[in-house]
PDB file of all heavy atoms in Angstrom:
ATOM      1  N   GLN A   1      -8.519  -3.327  -8.056  1.00 95.00           N
ATOM      2  CA  GLN A   1      -8.451  -4.182  -6.882  1.00 95.00           C
ATOM      3  C   GLN A   1      -8.110  -3.335  -5.673  1.00 95.00           C
ATOM      4  O   GLN A   1      -7.520  -2.256  -5.790  1.00 95.00           O
ATOM      5  CB  GLN A   1      -7.429  -5.301  -7.063  1.00 95.00           C
ATOM      6  CG  GLN A   1      -5.991  -4.866  -7.236  1.00 95.00           C
ATOM      7  CD  GLN A   1      -5.100  -6.052  -7.598  1.00 95.00           C
ATOM      8  OE1 GLN A   1      -5.017  -6.465  -8.750  1.00 95.00           O
ATOM      9  NE2 GLN A   1      -4.449  -6.620  -6.588  1.00 95.00           N
ATOM     10  N   THR A   2      -8.516  -3.824  -4.517  1.00 95.00           N
ATOM     11  CA  THR A   2      -8.332  -3.049  -3.296  1.00 95.00           C
ATOM     12  C   THR A   2      -7.999  -3.967  -2.126  1.00 95.00           C
ATOM     13  O   THR A   2      -8.210  -5.178  -2.184  1.00 95.00           O
ATOM     14  CB  THR A   2      -9.612  -2.265  -2.923  1.00 95.00           C
ATOM     15  OG1 THR A   2     -10.646  -3.201  -2.605  1.00 95.00           O
ATOM     16  CG2 THR A   2     -10.073  -1.367  -4.059  1.00 95.00           C
ATOM     17  N   CYS A   3      -7.495  -3.368  -1.079  1.00 94.00           N
ATOM     18  CA  CYS A   3      -7.409  -4.033   0.216  1.00 94.00           C
ATOM     19  C   CYS A   3      -7.718  -2.950   1.246  1.00 94.00           C
ATOM     20  O   CYS A   3      -6.866  -2.127   1.582  1.00 94.00           O
ATOM     21  CB  CYS A   3      -6.034  -4.632   0.458  1.00 94.00           C
ATOM     22  SG  CYS A   3      -5.974  -5.502   2.045  1.00 94.00           S
ATOM     23  N   THR A   4      -8.949  -2.916   1.667  1.00 93.00           N
ATOM     24  CA  THR A   4      -9.400  -1.851   2.562  1.00 93.00           C
ATOM     25  C   THR A   4      -9.944  -2.384   3.884  1.00 93.00           C
ATOM     26  O   THR A   4     -10.477  -1.617   4.681  1.00 93.00           O
ATOM     27  CB  THR A   4     -10.504  -1.012   1.873  1.00 93.00           C
ATOM     28  OG1 THR A   4     -11.589  -1.871   1.491  1.00 93.00           O
ATOM     29  CG2 THR A   4      -9.954  -0.335   0.617  1.00 93.00           C
ATOM     30  N   THR A   5      -9.812  -3.687   4.096  1.00 90.00           N
ATOM     31  CA  THR A   5     -10.307  -4.279   5.335  1.00 90.00           C
ATOM     32  C   THR A   5      -9.357  -3.952   6.476  1.00 90.00           C
ATOM     33  O   THR A   5      -8.176  -4.306   6.436  1.00 90.00           O
ATOM     34  CB  THR A   5     -10.457  -5.800   5.200  1.00 90.00           C
ATOM     35  OG1 THR A   5     -11.339  -6.085   4.111  1.00 90.00           O
ATOM     36  CG2 THR A   5     -11.016  -6.406   6.477  1.00 90.00           C
ATOM     37  N   GLU A   6      -9.874  -3.286   7.478  1.00 84.00           N
ATOM     38  CA  GLU A   6      -9.030  -2.862   8.601  1.00 84.00           C
ATOM     39  C   GLU A   6      -9.005  -3.945   9.680  1.00 84.00           C
ATOM     40  O   GLU A   6     -10.023  -4.288  10.272  1.00 84.00           O
ATOM     41  CB  GLU A   6      -9.558  -1.551   9.191  1.00 84.00           C
ATOM     42  CG  GLU A   6      -8.701  -0.989  10.296  1.00 84.00           C
ATOM     43  CD  GLU A   6      -9.244   0.323  10.830  1.00 84.00           C
ATOM     44  OE1 GLU A   6     -10.200   0.856  10.228  1.00 84.00           O
ATOM     45  OE2 GLU A   6      -8.716   0.805  11.837  1.00 84.00           O
ATOM     46  N   THR A   7      -7.827  -4.514   9.881  1.00 82.00           N
ATOM     47  CA  THR A   7      -7.627  -5.461  10.976  1.00 82.00           C
ATOM     48  C   THR A   7      -6.341  -5.069  11.692  1.00 82.00           C
ATOM     49  O   THR A   7      -5.674  -4.110  11.312  1.00 82.00           O
ATOM     50  CB  THR A   7      -7.501  -6.913  10.460  1.00 82.00           C
ATOM     51  OG1 THR A   7      -6.385  -6.983   9.563  1.00 82.00           O
ATOM     52  CG2 THR A   7      -8.758  -7.359   9.745  1.00 82.00           C
ATOM     53  N   SER A   8      -6.004  -5.806  12.729  1.00 70.00           N
ATOM     54  CA  SER A   8      -4.804  -5.459  13.492  1.00 70.00           C
ATOM     55  C   SER A   8      -3.569  -5.552  12.616  1.00 70.00           C
ATOM     56  O   SER A   8      -3.493  -6.328  11.677  1.00 70.00           O
ATOM     57  CB  SER A   8      -4.653  -6.403  14.687  1.00 70.00           C
ATOM     58  OG  SER A   8      -4.554  -7.742  14.226  1.00 70.00           O
ATOM     59  N   GLY A   9      -2.603  -4.741  12.922  1.00 64.00           N
ATOM     60  CA  GLY A   9      -1.355  -4.705  12.162  1.00 64.00           C
ATOM     61  C   GLY A   9      -0.574  -3.475  12.577  1.00 64.00           C
ATOM     62  O   GLY A   9      -1.158  -2.426  12.840  1.00 64.00           O
ATOM     63  N   ASP A  10       0.742  -3.609  12.683  1.00 71.00           N
ATOM     64  CA  ASP A  10       1.559  -2.458  13.080  1.00 71.00           C
ATOM     65  C   ASP A  10       1.647  -1.480  11.918  1.00 71.00           C
ATOM     66  O   ASP A  10       1.978  -1.860  10.795  1.00 71.00           O
ATOM     67  CB  ASP A  10       2.975  -2.927  13.464  1.00 71.00           C
ATOM     68  CG  ASP A  10       2.961  -3.822  14.692  1.00 71.00           C
ATOM     69  OD1 ASP A  10       2.060  -3.632  15.534  1.00 71.00           O
ATOM     70  OD2 ASP A  10       3.820  -4.702  14.793  1.00 71.00           O
ATOM     71  N   ASN A  11       1.333  -0.210  12.189  1.00 88.00           N
ATOM     72  CA  ASN A  11       1.447   0.802  11.159  1.00 88.00           C
ATOM     73  C   ASN A  11       2.912   1.010  10.806  1.00 88.00           C
ATOM     74  O   ASN A  11       3.798   0.852  11.633  1.00 88.00           O
ATOM     75  CB  ASN A  11       0.789   2.095  11.620  1.00 88.00           C
ATOM     76  CG  ASN A  11      -0.717   1.924  11.776  1.00 88.00           C
ATOM     77  OD1 ASN A  11      -1.351   1.267  10.967  1.00 88.00           O
ATOM     78  ND2 ASN A  11      -1.277   2.487  12.825  1.00 88.00           N
ATOM     79  N   SER A  12       3.153   1.344   9.550  1.00 93.00           N
ATOM     80  CA  SER A  12       4.516   1.321   9.014  1.00 93.00           C
ATOM     81  C   SER A  12       4.925   2.722   8.563  1.00 93.00           C
ATOM     82  O   SER A  12       4.259   3.331   7.727  1.00 93.00           O
ATOM     83  CB  SER A  12       4.579   0.340   7.840  1.00 93.00           C
ATOM     84  OG  SER A  12       5.881   0.137   7.414  1.00 93.00           O
ATOM     85  N   SER A  13       6.023   3.227   9.106  1.00 95.00           N
ATOM     86  CA  SER A  13       6.483   4.575   8.771  1.00 95.00           C
ATOM     87  C   SER A  13       7.440   4.554   7.587  1.00 95.00           C
ATOM     88  O   SER A  13       8.177   3.593   7.362  1.00 95.00           O
ATOM     89  CB  SER A  13       7.170   5.216   9.980  1.00 95.00           C
ATOM     90  OG  SER A  13       8.319   4.472  10.347  1.00 95.00           O
ATOM     91  N   VAL A  14       7.407   5.646   6.815  1.00 97.00           N
ATOM     92  CA  VAL A  14       8.338   5.850   5.699  1.00 97.00           C
ATOM     93  C   VAL A  14       8.883   7.274   5.815  1.00 97.00           C
ATOM     94  O   VAL A  14       8.120   8.216   5.993  1.00 97.00           O
ATOM     95  CB  VAL A  14       7.652   5.687   4.327  1.00 97.00           C
ATOM     96  CG1 VAL A  14       8.687   5.735   3.209  1.00 97.00           C
ATOM     97  CG2 VAL A  14       6.863   4.409   4.260  1.00 97.00           C
ATOM     98  N   GLY A  15      10.187   7.393   5.705  1.00 97.00           N
ATOM     99  CA  GLY A  15      10.787   8.719   5.768  1.00 97.00           C
ATOM    100  C   GLY A  15      11.308   9.084   7.137  1.00 97.00           C
ATOM    101  O   GLY A  15      11.849  10.173   7.318  1.00 97.00           O
ATOM    102  N   ALA A  16      11.145   8.204   8.119  1.00 97.00           N
ATOM    103  CA  ALA A  16      11.699   8.464   9.454  1.00 97.00           C
ATOM    104  C   ALA A  16      13.128   7.925   9.521  1.00 97.00           C
ATOM    105  O   ALA A  16      14.083   8.663   9.737  1.00 97.00           O
ATOM    106  CB  ALA A  16      10.828   7.822  10.521  1.00 97.00           C
ATOM    107  N   THR A  17      13.256   6.612   9.291  1.00 96.00           N
ATOM    108  CA  THR A  17      14.573   5.967   9.269  1.00 96.00           C
ATOM    109  C   THR A  17      14.921   5.467   7.879  1.00 96.00           C
ATOM    110  O   THR A  17      16.077   5.550   7.460  1.00 96.00           O
ATOM    111  CB  THR A  17      14.596   4.774  10.255  1.00 96.00           C
ATOM    112  OG1 THR A  17      14.198   5.233  11.551  1.00 96.00           O
ATOM    113  CG2 THR A  17      15.993   4.176  10.359  1.00 96.00           C
ATOM    114  N   TYR A  18      13.912   4.963   7.178  1.00 96.00           N
ATOM    115  CA  TYR A  18      14.125   4.414   5.841  1.00 96.00           C
ATOM    116  C   TYR A  18      13.291   5.193   4.829  1.00 96.00           C
ATOM    117  O   TYR A  18      12.177   5.627   5.122  1.00 96.00           O
ATOM    118  CB  TYR A  18      13.748   2.934   5.803  1.00 96.00           C
ATOM    119  CG  TYR A  18      14.431   2.124   6.879  1.00 96.00           C
ATOM    120  CD1 TYR A  18      13.727   1.671   7.993  1.00 96.00           C
ATOM    121  CD2 TYR A  18      15.790   1.831   6.791  1.00 96.00           C
ATOM    122  CE1 TYR A  18      14.353   0.930   8.985  1.00 96.00           C
ATOM    123  CE2 TYR A  18      16.429   1.093   7.785  1.00 96.00           C
ATOM    124  CZ  TYR A  18      15.714   0.654   8.879  1.00 96.00           C
ATOM    125  OH  TYR A  18      16.336  -0.055   9.870  1.00 96.00           O
ATOM    126  N   THR A  19      13.819   5.298   3.610  1.00 97.00           N
ATOM    127  CA  THR A  19      13.113   6.062   2.576  1.00 97.00           C
ATOM    128  C   THR A  19      12.192   5.204   1.722  1.00 97.00           C
ATOM    129  O   THR A  19      11.407   5.739   0.931  1.00 97.00           O
ATOM    130  CB  THR A  19      14.115   6.767   1.648  1.00 97.00           C
ATOM    131  OG1 THR A  19      14.965   5.782   1.023  1.00 97.00           O
ATOM    132  CG2 THR A  19      14.962   7.768   2.405  1.00 97.00           C
ATOM    133  N   LYS A  20      12.271   3.881   1.856  1.00 98.00           N
ATOM    134  CA  LYS A  20      11.445   3.010   1.018  1.00 98.00           C
ATOM    135  C   LYS A  20      10.771   1.924   1.844  1.00 98.00           C
ATOM    136  O   LYS A  20      11.410   1.280   2.672  1.00 98.00           O
ATOM    137  CB  LYS A  20      12.285   2.333  -0.074  1.00 98.00           C
ATOM    138  CG  LYS A  20      12.856   3.259  -1.126  1.00 98.00           C
ATOM    139  CD  LYS A  20      13.650   2.458  -2.162  1.00 98.00           C
ATOM    140  CE  LYS A  20      14.321   3.351  -3.179  1.00 98.00           C
ATOM    141  NZ  LYS A  20      15.102   2.553  -4.160  1.00 98.00           N
ATOM    142  N   LYS A  21       9.482   1.739   1.582  1.00 97.00           N
ATOM    143  CA  LYS A  21       8.725   0.614   2.103  1.00 97.00           C
ATOM    144  C   LYS A  21       7.962  -0.007   0.930  1.00 97.00           C
ATOM    145  O   LYS A  21       7.539   0.706   0.004  1.00 97.00           O
ATOM    146  CB  LYS A  21       7.732   1.053   3.190  1.00 97.00           C
ATOM    147  CG  LYS A  21       8.375   1.383   4.540  1.00 97.00           C
ATOM    148  CD  LYS A  21       8.746   0.127   5.310  1.00 97.00           C
ATOM    149  CE  LYS A  21       9.402   0.419   6.653  1.00 97.00           C
ATOM    150  NZ  LYS A  21       8.434   0.861   7.657  1.00 97.00           N
ATOM    151  N   ALA A  22       7.788  -1.321   0.978  1.00 98.00           N
ATOM    152  CA  ALA A  22       7.125  -1.996  -0.136  1.00 98.00           C
ATOM    153  C   ALA A  22       6.279  -3.151   0.361  1.00 98.00           C
ATOM    154  O   ALA A  22       6.549  -3.729   1.416  1.00 98.00           O
ATOM    155  CB  ALA A  22       8.171  -2.504  -1.129  1.00 98.00           C
ATOM    156  N   TRP A  23       5.243  -3.485  -0.399  1.00 97.00           N
ATOM    157  CA  TRP A  23       4.438  -4.671  -0.122  1.00 97.00           C
ATOM    158  C   TRP A  23       3.985  -5.278  -1.446  1.00 97.00           C
ATOM    159  O   TRP A  23       3.877  -4.593  -2.466  1.00 97.00           O
ATOM    160  CB  TRP A  23       3.244  -4.353   0.779  1.00 97.00           C
ATOM    161  CG  TRP A  23       2.199  -3.474   0.174  1.00 97.00           C
ATOM    162  CD1 TRP A  23       1.036  -3.856  -0.433  1.00 97.00           C
ATOM    163  CD2 TRP A  23       2.205  -2.034   0.108  1.00 97.00           C
ATOM    164  NE1 TRP A  23       0.320  -2.765  -0.860  1.00 97.00           N
ATOM    165  CE2 TRP A  23       1.017  -1.635  -0.540  1.00 97.00           C
ATOM    166  CE3 TRP A  23       3.100  -1.054   0.537  1.00 97.00           C
ATOM    167  CZ2 TRP A  23       0.723  -0.307  -0.788  1.00 97.00           C
ATOM    168  CZ3 TRP A  23       2.809   0.276   0.294  1.00 97.00           C
ATOM    169  CH2 TRP A  23       1.621   0.637  -0.356  1.00 97.00           C
ATOM    170  N   LYS A  24       3.728  -6.549  -1.412  1.00 96.00           N
ATOM    171  CA  LYS A  24       3.473  -7.328  -2.618  1.00 96.00           C
ATOM    172  C   LYS A  24       1.977  -7.529  -2.851  1.00 96.00           C
ATOM    173  O   LYS A  24       1.193  -7.580  -1.903  1.00 96.00           O
ATOM    174  CB  LYS A  24       4.166  -8.685  -2.469  1.00 96.00           C
ATOM    175  CG  LYS A  24       4.362  -9.486  -3.736  1.00 96.00           C
ATOM    176  CD  LYS A  24       5.147 -10.747  -3.371  1.00 96.00           C
ATOM    177  CE  LYS A  24       5.512 -11.578  -4.566  1.00 96.00           C
ATOM    178  NZ  LYS A  24       6.257 -12.796  -4.157  1.00 96.00           N
ATOM    179  N   PHE A  25       1.599  -7.656  -4.126  1.00 96.00           N
ATOM    180  CA  PHE A  25       0.215  -8.007  -4.455  1.00 96.00           C
ATOM    181  C   PHE A  25       0.218  -8.827  -5.738  1.00 96.00           C
ATOM    182  O   PHE A  25       1.185  -8.814  -6.515  1.00 96.00           O
ATOM    183  CB  PHE A  25      -0.655  -6.750  -4.615  1.00 96.00           C
ATOM    184  CG  PHE A  25      -0.367  -5.951  -5.865  1.00 96.00           C
ATOM    185  CD1 PHE A  25      -1.126  -6.111  -7.017  1.00 96.00           C
ATOM    186  CD2 PHE A  25       0.671  -5.016  -5.886  1.00 96.00           C
ATOM    187  CE1 PHE A  25      -0.872  -5.382  -8.168  1.00 96.00           C
ATOM    188  CE2 PHE A  25       0.936  -4.268  -7.035  1.00 96.00           C
ATOM    189  CZ  PHE A  25       0.170  -4.447  -8.172  1.00 96.00           C
ATOM    190  N   GLN A  26      -0.870  -9.523  -5.959  1.00 96.00           N
ATOM    191  CA  GLN A  26      -1.057 -10.293  -7.190  1.00 96.00           C
ATOM    192  C   GLN A  26      -2.137  -9.616  -8.014  1.00 96.00           C
ATOM    193  O   GLN A  26      -3.242  -9.355  -7.526  1.00 96.00           O
ATOM    194  CB  GLN A  26      -1.451 -11.734  -6.872  1.00 96.00           C
ATOM    195  CG  GLN A  26      -1.561 -12.620  -8.116  1.00 96.00           C
ATOM    196  CD  GLN A  26      -1.916 -14.053  -7.764  1.00 96.00           C
ATOM    197  OE1 GLN A  26      -2.815 -14.289  -6.952  1.00 96.00           O
ATOM    198  NE2 GLN A  26      -1.231 -15.012  -8.360  1.00 96.00           N
ATOM    199  N   ALA A  27      -1.832  -9.321  -9.268  1.00 97.00           N
ATOM    200  CA  ALA A  27      -2.787  -8.619 -10.137  1.00 97.00           C
ATOM    201  C   ALA A  27      -4.023  -9.481 -10.365  1.00 97.00           C
ATOM    202  O   ALA A  27      -3.914 -10.656 -10.726  1.00 97.00           O
ATOM    203  CB  ALA A  27      -2.138  -8.268 -11.461  1.00 97.00           C
ATOM    204  N   SER A  28      -5.185  -8.896 -10.154  1.00 95.00           N
ATOM    205  CA  SER A  28      -6.442  -9.637 -10.319  1.00 95.00           C
ATOM    206  C   SER A  28      -6.898  -9.682 -11.775  1.00 95.00           C
ATOM    207  O   SER A  28      -7.766 -10.479 -12.130  1.00 95.00           O
ATOM    208  CB  SER A  28      -7.538  -8.986  -9.467  1.00 95.00           C
ATOM    209  OG  SER A  28      -7.753  -7.645  -9.872  1.00 95.00           O
ATOM    210  N   GLU A  29      -6.331  -8.817 -12.634  1.00 97.00           N
ATOM    211  CA  GLU A  29      -6.706  -8.769 -14.041  1.00 97.00           C
ATOM    212  C   GLU A  29      -5.584  -8.113 -14.840  1.00 97.00           C
ATOM    213  O   GLU A  29      -4.703  -7.464 -14.273  1.00 97.00           O
ATOM    214  CB  GLU A  29      -7.999  -7.971 -14.224  1.00 97.00           C
ATOM    215  CG  GLU A  29      -7.887  -6.527 -13.770  1.00 97.00           C
ATOM    216  CD  GLU A  29      -9.181  -5.748 -13.972  1.00 97.00           C
ATOM    217  OE1 GLU A  29      -9.924  -6.065 -14.927  1.00 97.00           O
ATOM    218  OE2 GLU A  29      -9.427  -4.824 -13.186  1.00 97.00           O
ATOM    219  N   SER A  30      -5.624  -8.309 -16.146  1.00 98.00           N
ATOM    220  CA  SER A  30      -4.673  -7.637 -17.033  1.00 98.00           C
ATOM    221  C   SER A  30      -5.241  -6.266 -17.387  1.00 98.00           C
ATOM    222  O   SER A  30      -6.284  -6.170 -18.039  1.00 98.00           O
ATOM    223  CB  SER A  30      -4.433  -8.462 -18.302  1.00 98.00           C
ATOM    224  OG  SER A  30      -3.825  -9.692 -17.993  1.00 98.00           O
ATOM    225  N   THR A  31      -4.574  -5.225 -16.954  1.00 97.00           N
ATOM    226  CA  THR A  31      -5.073  -3.868 -17.166  1.00 97.00           C
ATOM    227  C   THR A  31      -3.937  -2.881 -16.952  1.00 97.00           C
ATOM    228  O   THR A  31      -2.807  -3.269 -16.645  1.00 97.00           O
ATOM    229  CB  THR A  31      -6.245  -3.567 -16.195  1.00 97.00           C
ATOM    230  OG1 THR A  31      -6.833  -2.320 -16.558  1.00 97.00           O
ATOM    231  CG2 THR A  31      -5.763  -3.498 -14.756  1.00 97.00           C
ATOM    232  N   THR A  32      -4.249  -1.608 -17.122  1.00 97.00           N
ATOM    233  CA  THR A  32      -3.292  -0.551 -16.817  1.00 97.00           C
ATOM    234  C   THR A  32      -3.775   0.199 -15.586  1.00 97.00           C
ATOM    235  O   THR A  32      -4.864   0.785 -15.595  1.00 97.00           O
ATOM    236  CB  THR A  32      -3.124   0.431 -17.997  1.00 97.00           C
ATOM    237  OG1 THR A  32      -2.590  -0.280 -19.123  1.00 97.00           O
ATOM    238  CG2 THR A  32      -2.169   1.568 -17.625  1.00 97.00           C
ATOM    239  N   ILE A  33      -2.987   0.153 -14.540  1.00 97.00           N
ATOM    240  CA  ILE A  33      -3.325   0.884 -13.325  1.00 97.00           C
ATOM    241  C   ILE A  33      -3.037   2.367 -13.559  1.00 97.00           C
ATOM    242  O   ILE A  33      -1.922   2.742 -13.909  1.00 97.00           O
ATOM    243  CB  ILE A  33      -2.498   0.375 -12.119  1.00 97.00           C
ATOM    244  CG1 ILE A  33      -2.714  -1.137 -11.922  1.00 97.00           C
ATOM    245  CG2 ILE A  33      -2.866   1.138 -10.856  1.00 97.00           C
ATOM    246  CD1 ILE A  33      -4.127  -1.537 -11.654  1.00 97.00           C
ATOM    247  N   CYS A  34      -4.069   3.180 -13.407  1.00 97.00           N
ATOM    248  CA  CYS A  34      -3.907   4.615 -13.675  1.00 97.00           C
ATOM    249  C   CYS A  34      -3.824   5.448 -12.391  1.00 97.00           C
ATOM    250  O   CYS A  34      -3.433   6.618 -12.441  1.00 97.00           O
ATOM    251  CB  CYS A  34      -5.055   5.122 -14.540  1.00 97.00           C
ATOM    252  SG  CYS A  34      -6.698   4.778 -13.862  1.00 97.00           S
ATOM    253  N   LYS A  35      -4.196   4.834 -11.292  1.00 96.00           N
ATOM    254  CA  LYS A  35      -4.130   5.568 -10.015  1.00 96.00           C
ATOM    255  C   LYS A  35      -4.061   4.575  -8.869  1.00 96.00           C
ATOM    256  O   LYS A  35      -4.672   3.517  -8.924  1.00 96.00           O
ATOM    257  CB  LYS A  35      -5.363   6.471  -9.845  1.00 96.00           C
ATOM    258  CG  LYS A  35      -5.369   7.299  -8.555  1.00 96.00           C
ATOM    259  CD  LYS A  35      -6.528   8.274  -8.519  1.00 96.00           C
ATOM    260  CE  LYS A  35      -7.879   7.594  -8.433  1.00 96.00           C
ATOM    261  NZ  LYS A  35      -8.991   8.553  -8.288  1.00 96.00           N
ATOM    262  N   ILE A  36      -3.286   4.920  -7.851  1.00 97.00           N
ATOM    263  CA  ILE A  36      -3.254   4.116  -6.641  1.00 97.00           C
ATOM    264  C   ILE A  36      -3.428   5.038  -5.445  1.00 97.00           C
ATOM    265  O   ILE A  36      -2.885   6.143  -5.416  1.00 97.00           O
ATOM    266  CB  ILE A  36      -1.946   3.302  -6.525  1.00 97.00           C
ATOM    267  CG1 ILE A  36      -1.954   2.433  -5.261  1.00 97.00           C
ATOM    268  CG2 ILE A  36      -0.721   4.211  -6.558  1.00 97.00           C
ATOM    269  CD1 ILE A  36      -0.843   1.409  -5.213  1.00 97.00           C
ATOM    270  N   GLU A  37      -4.242   4.605  -4.507  1.00 97.00           N
ATOM    271  CA  GLU A  37      -4.444   5.357  -3.271  1.00 97.00           C
ATOM    272  C   GLU A  37      -3.925   4.515  -2.108  1.00 97.00           C
ATOM    273  O   GLU A  37      -4.246   3.328  -2.007  1.00 97.00           O
ATOM    274  CB  GLU A  37      -5.925   5.670  -3.061  1.00 97.00           C
ATOM    275  CG  GLU A  37      -6.503   6.598  -4.119  1.00 97.00           C
ATOM    276  CD  GLU A  37      -7.981   6.874  -3.899  1.00 97.00           C
ATOM    277  OE1 GLU A  37      -8.589   6.208  -3.025  1.00 97.00           O
ATOM    278  OE2 GLU A  37      -8.534   7.737  -4.602  1.00 97.00           O
ATOM    279  N   ILE A  38      -3.121   5.130  -1.264  1.00 97.00           N
ATOM    280  CA  ILE A  38      -2.613   4.429  -0.088  1.00 97.00           C
ATOM    281  C   ILE A  38      -3.170   5.110   1.165  1.00 97.00           C
ATOM    282  O   ILE A  38      -3.352   6.327   1.193  1.00 97.00           O
ATOM    283  CB  ILE A  38      -1.070   4.418  -0.051  1.00 97.00           C
ATOM    284  CG1 ILE A  38      -0.512   5.852  -0.068  1.00 97.00           C
ATOM    285  CG2 ILE A  38      -0.512   3.611  -1.214  1.00 97.00           C
ATOM    286  CD1 ILE A  38       0.987   5.928   0.174  1.00 97.00           C
ATOM    287  N   ASN A  39      -3.452   4.301   2.160  1.00 96.00           N
ATOM    288  CA  ASN A  39      -3.977   4.831   3.416  1.00 96.00           C
ATOM    289  C   ASN A  39      -2.793   5.312   4.253  1.00 96.00           C
ATOM    290  O   ASN A  39      -1.949   4.510   4.670  1.00 96.00           O
ATOM    291  CB  ASN A  39      -4.761   3.736   4.148  1.00 96.00           C
ATOM    292  CG  ASN A  39      -5.711   4.316   5.172  1.00 96.00           C
ATOM    293  OD1 ASN A  39      -5.354   5.231   5.907  1.00 96.00           O
ATOM    294  ND2 ASN A  39      -6.915   3.778   5.225  1.00 96.00           N
ATOM    295  N   ALA A  40      -2.716   6.611   4.464  1.00 96.00           N
ATOM    296  CA  ALA A  40      -1.535   7.171   5.128  1.00 96.00           C
ATOM    297  C   ALA A  40      -1.885   8.461   5.855  1.00 96.00           C
ATOM    298  O   ALA A  40      -2.951   9.051   5.657  1.00 96.00           O
ATOM    299  CB  ALA A  40      -0.439   7.440   4.101  1.00 96.00           C
ATOM    300  N   LYS A  41      -0.963   8.887   6.692  1.00 96.00           N
ATOM    301  CA  LYS A  41      -1.109  10.164   7.387  1.00 96.00           C
ATOM    302  C   LYS A  41       0.268  10.799   7.568  1.00 96.00           C
ATOM    303  O   LYS A  41       1.307  10.161   7.349  1.00 96.00           O
ATOM    304  CB  LYS A  41      -1.784   9.979   8.745  1.00 96.00           C
ATOM    305  CG  LYS A  41      -0.931   9.256   9.786  1.00 96.00           C
ATOM    306  CD  LYS A  41      -1.646   9.198  11.140  1.00 96.00           C
ATOM    307  CE  LYS A  41      -0.781   8.511  12.201  1.00 96.00           C
ATOM    308  NZ  LYS A  41      -1.452   8.486  13.523  1.00 96.00           N
ATOM    309  N   GLU A  42       0.249  12.042   7.959  1.00 96.00           N
ATOM    310  CA  GLU A  42       1.473  12.795   8.188  1.00 96.00           C
ATOM    311  C   GLU A  42       1.797  12.780   9.681  1.00 96.00           C
ATOM    312  O   GLU A  42       0.916  12.918  10.521  1.00 96.00           O
ATOM    313  CB  GLU A  42       1.264  14.232   7.698  1.00 96.00           C
ATOM    314  CG  GLU A  42       2.443  15.161   7.848  1.00 96.00           C
ATOM    315  CD  GLU A  42       2.080  16.583   7.426  1.00 96.00           C
ATOM    316  OE1 GLU A  42       0.871  16.866   7.223  1.00 96.00           O
ATOM    317  OE2 GLU A  42       3.000  17.411   7.312  1.00 96.00           O
TER     318      GLU A  42
END
C-alpha cells in the first residue's frame, strides 16, 4: 500500500526539536511488510 499523492500539507521535521514523528495507517491486507520508503530530505 502507498500514499504518494502530493497535496498541500506542512512538511514535518524530525531530529530538529523532537526525535520521533508518527502517522497512522490502516493495513489494506494481511501480509508482512518487508520494506517501507518515506519521502524525505536532509
